[in-house]
DNA sequence: TCTATTTGACCCAA
DNA sequence: TTGGGTCAAATAGA
């Protein structure tokens, strides 16, 4: 890995810290708004936002540490211990129990590369379901998919799909790893950032990864992975909680604008360069080439019925592996 | 017959 | 100890 690309100046870290402060203020504003909501979900949502606030504070604290190191040394090399997220590195562990069943798989050590709420499970890739689990504290089971090209091309992309509890017509899709397969039918549709912002439609089903600020670029290149982790977790928590994001909430943000919840999520998280929500041109048709039936939709007898909408969400931008083998972060599209 | 999904069991990290 | 990620045999559908 190119460690120099992950270096960050104290100035950039400070800019990222400022964005974090703004993000925290935004979340605090959201919490204040929720306090006024006359909705039975409000207390629960407040708790979720509290969690987001805590994580943002943790991210700020982590970034403070990082900034201090950067100030001291001028440049930060995150690989040196703290930033790597502790022992959160996938290990190809082999069963040592001598069991008749040989199993070798990495577990739970990958951080999500993306989390999004979508009304359809189609995302331009062909997935194969390999498991389903009942998850504690969740009424909806979680389904596990891996890229269908894992066997032939060794593509390690995975995703987890869970029906949104707040809105069972939506799915919370969490992606892990990036596609290394080259099958044309699996190439995701990429929409230029500008085009994505061209139509002021709804922002529900579009996540854009555009570099929106210096801090974003700094955060993308910085080694403050712990901050990224916190932010990703915060984003995950927020987006998971607000599946029913068709609801439009009006509140007075720092920008004084009317925001949708998912836009807020993008605003909160995007400020650190992890995920940025932008306006969308709505769903776009995607010619997948040969029929893949209900594969991506967990079709057939799958637990999640295929959506009639076809492609309902578009990921804009590109994934990039920044840093370590499994330390995948979003790289901003130029 | 082949391919994908289901589902119970296994196993590891927290 | 337990929750959750993965495996793999069984099953279903084309």
């Amino acid at each position: 890995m190119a460690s120099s690309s992950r270096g960050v100046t104290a100035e950039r870290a400070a800019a990222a810290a400022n964005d974090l402060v703004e993000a925290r203020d935004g979340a605090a504003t959201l919490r204040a708004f929720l306090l006024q909501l006359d909705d039975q979900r409000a207390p629960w949502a407040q708790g979720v936002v509290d969690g987001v606030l805590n994580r943002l504070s943790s991210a700020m604290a982590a970034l403070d540490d990082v900034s201090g190191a950067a100030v001291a040394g001028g440049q930060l090399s995150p690989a040196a211990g703290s930033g790597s997220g502790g022992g959160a590195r996938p290990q190809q562990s082999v069963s040592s129990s001598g069991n008749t069943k040989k199993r070798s798989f990495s577990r739970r050590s990958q951080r999500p590369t993306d989390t999004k709420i979508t009304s359809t499970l189609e995302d331009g890739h062909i997935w194969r379901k390999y498991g389903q689990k009942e998850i504690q504290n969740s009424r909806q089971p979680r389904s596990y998919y891996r890229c269908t090209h894992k066997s032939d091309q060794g593509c390690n992309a995975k995703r987890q799909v869970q029906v949104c509890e707040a809105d069972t017509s939506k799915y919370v899709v969490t992606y892990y790893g990036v596609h290394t397969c080259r099958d044309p039918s699996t190439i995701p549709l990429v929409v230029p950032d500008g085009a994505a912002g061209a139509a002021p439609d709804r922002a529900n089903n579009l996540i854009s990864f555009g570099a929106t600020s210096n801090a974003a670029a700094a955060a993308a290149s910085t080694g403050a992975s712990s901050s990224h982790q916190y932010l990703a977790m915060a984003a995950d928590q927020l987006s998971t909680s607000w599946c029913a994001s068709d609801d439009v909430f009006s509140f007075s943000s720092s920008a004084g604008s009317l925001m949708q919840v998912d836009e807020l999520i993008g605003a909160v998280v995007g400020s650190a360069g992890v995920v940025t929500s932008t306006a969308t041109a709505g769903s776009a048709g995607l010619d997948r080439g040969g029929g893949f039936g209900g594969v991506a939709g967990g079709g057939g007898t799958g637990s999640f019925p295929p959506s009639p909408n076809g492609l309902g969400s578009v990921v804009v931008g590109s994934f990039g592996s920044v840093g370590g083998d499994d330390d995948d972060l979003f790289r901003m599209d130029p």
Side-chain angles (χ1 to χ4, degrees):
Chain A
M1 70 178 77
S3 60
S4 61
S5 66
R6 300 184 66 178
V8 58
T9 65
E11 183 181 6
R12 283 181 156 187
N18 287 337
D19 278 359
L20 278 174
V21 170
E22 292 183 13
R24 186 189 58 182
D25 291 345
T29 302
L30 175 60
R31 189 186 186 284
F33 163 75
L34 289 171
L35 286 172
Q36 305 169 16
L37 263 188
D38 184 19
D39 188 311
Q40 59 179 356
R41 295 176 293 179
W44 161 78
Q46 289 164 21
V48 171
V49 174
D50 283 343
V52 172
L53 283 167
N54 287 337
R55 297 206 185 283
L56 282 170
S57 296
S58 298
M60 291 169 64
L63 189 57
D64 282 345
D65 293 341
V66 165
S67 300
V71 169
Q75 283 273 324
L76 169 74
S77 181
S82 63
S84 64
R89 192 155 292 280
Q91 297 175 356
Q92 199 71 9
S93 53
V94 179
S95 172
S96 57
S97 62
N99 226 332
T100 52
K101 283 186 177 180
K102 283 189 177 180
R103 292 190 171 182
S104 174
F105 46 85
S106 59
R107 308 166 53 85
R108 203 181 309 179
S109 42
Q110 272 191 318
R111 286 196 291 273
T113 51
D114 185 18
T115 299
K116 64 180 179 178
I117 313 293
T118 177
S119 56
T120 176
L121 292 176
E122 291 188 18
D123 58 4
H125 292 281
I126 303 176
W127 301 93
R128 176 168 182 161
K129 189 175 182 178
Y130 65 89
Q132 179 171 316
K133 270 297 260 201
E134 297 289 336
I135 301 301
Q136 214 178 33
N137 299 327
S138 177
R139 286 178 300 220
Q140 307 295 344
R142 178 178 298 165
S143 293
Y144 301 88
Y145 296 84
R146 66 165 60 99
C147 179
T148 192
H149 294 292
K150 176 181 173 67
S151 56
D152 57 341
Q153 295 185 37
C155 180
N156 286 322
K158 294 175 189 171
R159 75 173 183 180
Q160 296 175 4
V161 176
Q162 201 165 359
V163 173
C164 179
E165 294 194 33
D167 183 350
T168 54
S169 67
K170 288 181 164 51
Y171 306 99
V172 180
V173 185
T174 305
Y175 293 88
Y176 295 86
V178 296
H179 285 275
T180 57
C181 52
R182 295 180 180 275
D183 187 320
S185 68
T186 66
I187 297 174
L189 180 64
V190 175
V191 180
D193 232 10
D201 205 333
R202 304 182 64 80
N204 287 349
N205 297 324
L206 181 70
I207 299 175
S208 170
F209 309 102
T212 56
S213 68
N214 291 338
S221 61
T222 183
S225 58
S226 56
S227 300
H228 281 240
Q229 188 173 9
Y230 286 126
L231 288 167
M233 292 167 70
D236 186 23
Q237 192 165 8
L238 249 187
S239 56
T240 298
S241 307
W242 286 100
C243 306
S245 54
D246 281 341
D247 301 332
V248 177
F249 292 91
S250 171
F251 66 97
S252 180
S253 71
S254 57
S257 59
L258 183 71
M259 301 179 74
Q260 273 185 271
V261 167
D262 45 1
E263 288 178 279
L264 175 70
I265 294 168
V268 169
V269 181
S271 60
V274 179
V275 176
T276 298
S277 172
T278 67
T280 175
S283 61
L286 176 62
D287 184 2
R288 297 282 308 282
F292 52 88
V295 173
T301 56
S303 302
F304 302 126
S307 166
N309 299 336
L311 182 70
S313 62
V314 181
V315 174
V316 179
S318 62
F319 298 139
S321 182
V322 181
D325 295 340
D326 304 294
D327 190 13
D328 294 324
L329 301 171
F330 292 124
R331 173 174 296 159
M332 302 305 150
D333 252 358

